Amino acid sequence: MLGNGLLQGLVVTARNFIRSYFDPERLTTVQYPEERVTLPENSRSFPFLVYDGTPDNLRCVACKICEQECPPQCIYIEVERDPKTGKPVRRPRVFDIDYSVCMQCQICAEVCPFDAIKMDQVYELAGTDRFGGMLHDKAALLKSNEYYHQIRPTEADEVDARLSQSKKKVSPPIAKPAAVPPAQPVPPKTDV
Amino acid sequence: MDTAFIILSLITVAGAVWAVTLRNLIHAVLSLVLFFFGIAGFFFYLNADFVGWVQILVYVGAVAILAIFAVMLTHNLTAEDEPGFFSLRWLTGMAIAATVGAVLWFAIRSNAAMSQTAPAGVASNVADIGRKMMTDWVVPFEVVSLLLTAAMIGAIVIAMEQISHRK
Amino acid sequence: MYNFFDQLFVALGAWLVGLVVAAGNGVSKLCCGQPMSEAAAHNVAAGTQVVLICVTIYGVFALCFGLATWLERKMLARIQNRYGPNRVGPFGLLQFVADGVKMLTKEDIVPARADKLVHFLAPAIVLAPALLMFGFLPFGRNMAPTDLDTAVIAFFAVGAGSELALFMAGWGSRNKYSILGALRAVAQMISYEIPLVLAAVPVVMIVGSLSTSQIVAAQGTDSFLDVKGWFVWTPWGFAGFILFLIAATAESNRSPFDIPEGESEIIAGFHVEYSGFKFALFFMAEYLGMMAMAGLGVTLFLGGWHGPKLLPSWAWFMLKGFLIVCWLIWLRGTLPRLRVDQLMAFAWKAMLPFALFNIFATAVWFYLPKTTFLQSAVAWIITAALVVAAYLVISRFVSRRAGAPRVYRYAS
């Protein structure tokens, strides 16, 4: 009979309409900025420097391999020199990454022999200054090993196991941080 | 000759004059639409509400659209070289227009029924129109419907010929 | 008590008119030393009444237009398993205000080769009939803005004026797609105007008058539950109502008949070259036309402002109109767009014969005796059988054509 398909279609849409109020799984919208999509562990955004314990205890020895390998050349390193002897010390004095140039290729993290530079997952980095505002210096880039465990648990465990075998300057293997769960999504904003 | 009549006449005559003088054909058809609205206004002025609304419904809603389609589907949309003043074509046109105008003037002035004003307060009774159409004027009504049927059949025949030619 | 709420707006209007006349009397006493004459007072009262009605209709229905856009976005969103706008106000209610501000402040771009006068006049000419159509609908008891004897024909005549404006919009933009969209829009609107008028004819036949106030009065019973007399409960009224809804959807260029403004096909059809406030006027004219058609459907078939005396009469009218608008939005969320030849075929081959047969069925109903309950039941069954038989025959005819193998015609 003419109109049969129309009625079936109307029933389907009516069912969608009514169930969208009672069935929370139907609405797949993530209401940013109250909720955020939990990213998989392997997603990456921009590089950061890892330190163990205190920010002075950073893993980077200013070998400048990442500066050489970076394709758009966004890393700028200056080696620290001992003020009395003038000899180079194994720390960077200046470590700048220009996030507006960085193309997030992860090559710097791949080539670092000391597991000092790793990829972060933060993407909310918008700023108002296009030229100098995107240049992140050493203080801004330093993040702790606990933070690294938080965003990439499996990778951080593997790195810690490797480092503890080779006796470099590293703190004892860190126990998996107990009560630091990933960012909880805020309950969805109630809606009509 | 009160204000409403003067305004309505201005609108109607302006529409009619623009319809024949404008160079852009689409503008001419749109001024024809203005003319139809003016005529509908006259019907309302004469207390013939139903005929006025039907004038808008049929003329503006169908005939004007038909004219627009006809103009759209022809390619030459601007007028040809217009004849100058006092050429033979212009003089002939003015003479014929003057003759027709004089005949109409005398006919209307001499007819007593035409010089009455509209009877005020008489609402047009649609039921009366319907009744008259079915009793006194039923033969013209049927003849007109027969004419419309013939026109429709003619249009369909022409369209079918076109389809069969294209095959 | 019920009467107070029912006639609330009538009493309010009368009070305001009285205020204005008193103010006029005061002014004339100041300058001329005596109050206005009877004729002058009458003129002032009439003028104020007209201005009051116009301002009320514009204000109320402009607000309804904003709420209709909000309702449409939320309902479509929920049908499509997503939230609608929910940021701008509580539940996104102020979204239409934000949209209005956005459209007002946008740059008005006119194409360089466009026909300036036609391009400029089209939005105004499309909005005027949409607003004028509201003047013929009775909104409540004693609340009809005008009381014309020929209101139904006037409504359709005024609706025909907006088709011309669509063509002017398409032509004035001097754009291939605009002209194409405008021609399709005009063809669609004149094709569906015939079933629209023919769907309203049975109602006029039964009532015997073209006046909307009388049509509404003919559907009323004197009981508390004022529901029995509506024309939609009769077989011909139901068929007419369905026909009217479909034709009204096509007249307002709404999905599934929105070829003229198909957003994914012809960009925006006839209003593609309009930006800013002119586009807002087209948008407003479409929604106002939809609401006016819904109002006429309520008046002709759903009993106008009649309803159980729990709500005032104007509330019933608005509620029924709201339900029809919800139905239109539901239909938009359900159906894909009709192709233009399917659209025209549906109007001329399916709806027109059905509407004509509906008139015949109405005549049968009219002449069958309906004095006792048994006789009314028999009349109802006979008319319903006629209407259903016509529907089945037409649907069989349409389906047979739809399943036939396609004939391809190539340009030679």
Side-chain angles (χ1 to χ4, degrees):
Chain A
M1 191 193 72
L2 194 69
N4 214 2
L6 170 64
L7 289 171
Q8 286 172 352
L10 287 171
V11 165
V12 168
T13 33
R15 199 183 294 154
N16 258 356
F17 179 74
I18 294 175
R19 284 195 191 160
S20 78
Y21 284 103
F22 298 111
D23 195 1
E25 289 175 349
R26 276 183 172 261
L27 296 164
T28 51
T29 316
V30 173
Q31 302 225 57
Y32 190 84
E34 287 90 15
E35 313 165 351
R36 284 177 179 80
V37 179
T38 42
L39 296 170
E41 187 187 324
N42 284 336
S43 56
R44 65 177 189 251
S45 64
F46 287 106
F48 73 99
L49 290 173
V50 190
Y51 67 79
D52 302 300
T54 64
D56 289 331
N57 206 7
L58 73 165
R59 295 183 191 169
C60 175
V61 298
C63 64
K64 298 209 184 196
I65 293 182
C66 57
E67 187 185 17
Q68 272 181 322
E69 296 290 329
C70 176
Q73 299 169 1
C74 67
I75 303 183
Y76 176 73
I77 298 176
E78 272 186 28
V79 185
E80 184 160 340
R81 292 188 178 262
D82 196 4
K84 291 196 278 291
T85 56
K87 285 183 149 191
V89 178
R90 289 201 181 104
R91 306 164 62 86
R93 188 173 63 83
V94 172
F95 196 112
D96 290 341
I97 298 184
D98 193 347
Y99 275 5
S100 65
V101 178
C102 172
M103 64 187 213
Q104 303 146 38
C105 59
Q106 206 177 295
I107 288 181
C108 52
E110 281 174 23
V111 301
C112 179
F114 303 97
D115 298 301
I117 186 167
K118 294 292 175 190
M119 298 306 282
D120 204 354
Q121 283 175 344
V122 184
Y123 49 83
E124 287 155 335
L125 295 164
T128 48
D129 179 17
R130 187 163 22 130
F131 300 106
M134 288 286 120
L135 185 70
H136 289 241
D137 60 356
K138 189 172 77 162
L141 288 171
L142 278 173
K143 297 198 180 165
S144 68
N145 198 12
E146 278 89 18
Y147 176 76
Y148 186 37
H149 272 276
Q150 202 175 324
I151 56 174
R152 295 168 193 280
T154 47
E155 208 177 301
D157 283 341
E158 187 241 343
V159 164
D160 275 352
R162 207 170 359 105
L163 286 178
S164 65
Q165 280 177 4
S166 62
K167 302 170 197 71
K168 299 282 166 98
K169 50 168 181 172
V170 73
S171 43
I174 301 169
K176 191 90 171 249
V180 190
Q184 280 289 354
V186 176
K189 190 169 154 153
T190 50
D191 196 271
V192 176
Chain B
M1 284 287 257
D2 56 337
T3 342
F5 178 76
I6 292 179
I7 295 179
L8 279 174
S9 327
L10 279 176
I11 294 177
T12 315
V13 170
V17 165
W18 282 334
V20 298
T21 51
L22 281 182
R23 302 202 65 181
N24 190 346
L25 268 184
I26 293 283
H27 286 178
V29 174
L30 290 175
S31 21
L32 193 67
V33 169
L34 183 69
F35 169 76
F36 290 148
F37 272 113
I39 295 287
F42 274 115
F43 281 128
F44 289 124
Y45 180 67
L46 290 171
N47 283 326
D49 288 348
F50 180 69
V51 188
W53 289 119
V54 169
Q55 157 91 9
I56 295 182
L57 181 64
V58 168
Y59 271 91
V60 174
V63 171
I65 302 219
L66 177 67
I68 283 177
F69 268 87
V71 163
M72 280 283 311
L73 298 174
T74 57
H75 285 288
N76 201 1
L77 286 182
T78 52
E80 303 161 350
D81 50 337
E82 54 183 45
F85 264 6
F86 302 119
S87 65
L88 189 60
R89 220 194 309 181
W90 187 83
L91 278 172
T92 331
M94 291 303 281
I96 295 180
T99 321
V100 171
V103 167
L104 278 176
W105 173 270
F106 281 116
I108 292 176
R109 283 302 284 257
S110 64
N111 191 349
M114 291 285 187
S115 46
Q116 286 171 0
T117 51
V122 171
S124 78
N125 202 342
V126 182
D128 271 346
I129 294 180
R131 217 168 284 132
K132 283 265 162 48
M133 257 208 283
M134 284 290 135
T135 52
D136 292 340
W137 304 94
V138 68
V139 173
F141 179 65
E142 295 297 335
V143 166
V144 165
S145 45
L146 205 62
L147 186 68
L148 285 174
T149 317
M152 262 203 293
I153 294 179
I156 294 175
V157 163
I158 292 180
M160 274 174 58
E161 269 184 19
Q162 278 189 355
I163 293 177
S164 61
H165 272 175
R166 256 191 276 154
K167 270 188 194 159
Chain C
M1 185 61 186
Y2 171 75
N3 225 21
F4 170 69
F5 282 111
D6 200 29
Q7 303 295 300
L8 182 65
F9 294 108
V10 178
L12 205 62
W15 174 72
L16 277 169
V17 168
L19 268 188
V20 169
V21 169
N25 271 337
V27 161
S28 79
K29 269 205 202 118
L30 269 178
C31 70
C32 307
Q34 54 177 343
M36 299 186 290
S37 62
E38 277 291 322
H42 181 74
N43 281 343
V44 164
T48 320
Q49 177 95 333
V50 166
V51 168
L52 202 61
I53 289 179
C54 286
V55 166
T56 314
I57 289 187
Y58 295 164
V60 166
F61 283 102
L63 189 66
C64 279
F65 156 69
L67 290 179
T69 52
W70 171 82
L71 181 74
E72 164 145 24
R73 290 176 75 166
K74 283 301 241 188
M75 238 178 107
L76 277 182
R78 285 283 164 172
I79 287 177
Q80 295 161 0
N81 282 336
R82 55 185 173 91
Y83 300 104
N86 59 1
R87 299 273 148 182
V88 188
F91 305 123
L93 275 169
L94 295 178
Q95 181 75 38
F96 77 94
V97 175
D99 280 339
V101 171
K102 170 196 80 171
M103 286 197 188
L104 281 175
T105 52
K106 273 200 177 176
E107 179 189 355
D108 191 22
I109 302 176
V110 175
R113 281 178 55 225
D115 204 340
K116 297 248 175 342
L117 184 67
V118 174
H119 185 91
F120 179 77
L121 280 179
I125 299 185
V126 83
L127 188 60
L131 281 173
L132 199 55
M133 288 201 274
F134 284 109
F136 303 118
L137 305 173
F139 295 115
R141 202 169 276 123
N142 305 332
M143 272 168 75
T146 61
D147 199 7
L148 282 185
D149 248 351
T150 51
V152 173
I153 287 280
F155 189 94
F156 293 129
V158 161
S162 61
E163 301 165 14
L164 202 65
L166 290 193
F167 171 76
M168 282 169 68
W171 171 263
S173 309
R174 202 66 85 94
N175 181 350
K176 275 197 276 287
Y177 301 104
S178 287
I179 294 181
L180 208 53
L183 288 180
R184 279 183 180 175
V186 168
Q188 172 187 317
M189 285 177 95
I190 57 178
S191 315
Y192 277 91
E193 211 173 306
I194 299 185
L196 187 73
V197 176
L198 286 180
V201 163
V203 173
V204 173
M205 273 169 66
I206 294 288
V207 173
S209 160
L210 283 171
S211 158
T212 45
S213 315
Q214 289 195 14
I215 291 177
V216 170
Q219 294 182 64
T221 56
D222 272 327
S223 58
F224 176 77
L225 274 177
D226 221 345
V227 170
K228 202 164 63 107
W230 298 359
F231 287 144
V232 76
W233 309 127
T234 62
W236 53 267
F238 187 70
F241 184 52
I242 302 283
L243 277 173
F244 185 85
L245 273 186
I246 298 176
T249 321
E251 281 287 310
S252 341
N253 291 339
R254 276 190 71 81
S255 199
F257 300 106
D258 63 348
I259 279 276
E261 51 164 52
E263 283 151 9
S264 45
E265 297 182 346
I266 201 169
I267 313 157
F270 56 88
H271 50 66
V272 66
E273 295 284 355
Y274 286 92
S275 57
F277 195 55
K278 294 183 184 159
F279 179 75
L281 287 179
F282 274 110
F283 200 54
M284 196 191 287
E286 178 189 324
Y287 276 80
L288 286 177
M290 172 177 88
M291 290 193 287
M293 287 284 176
L296 188 70
V298 166
T299 310
L300 289 176
F301 297 101
L302 287 180
W305 42 259
H306 287 290
K309 291 195 170 58
L310 303 161
L311 285 179
S313 55
W314 41 269
W316 275 117
F317 183 86
M318 290 296 179
L319 186 66
K320 291 180 211 172
F322 167 76
L323 285 177
I324 293 189
V325 169
C326 283
W327 161 264
L328 288 175
I329 297 173
W330 186 13
L331 201 64
R332 177 179 177 179
T334 310
L335 291 178
R337 192 172 292 139
L338 280 183
R339 213 173 54 220
V340 80
D341 61 324
Q342 290 172 339
L343 209 147
M344 305 292 251
F346 186 58
W348 293 104
K349 294 185 191 167
M351 285 183 68
L352 182 62
F354 190 50
L356 290 171
F357 197 80
N358 194 26
I359 297 179
F360 170 70
T362 315
V364 167
W365 162 279
F366 186 70
Y367 282 110
L368 284 176
K370 287 186 292 295
T371 41
T372 70
F373 178 72
L374 186 64
Q375 280 177 337
S376 319
V378 165
W380 203 98
I381 290 174
I382 293 180
T383 322
L386 279 174
V387 167
V388 166
Y391 181 68
L392 288 175
V393 165
I394 288 177
S395 69
R396 171 74 64 92
F397 176 66
V398 166
S399 323
R400 193 163 39 131
R401 288 297 293 250
R406 292 196 68 177
V407 173
Y408 291 96
R409 291 196 285 271
Y410 298 101
S412 56

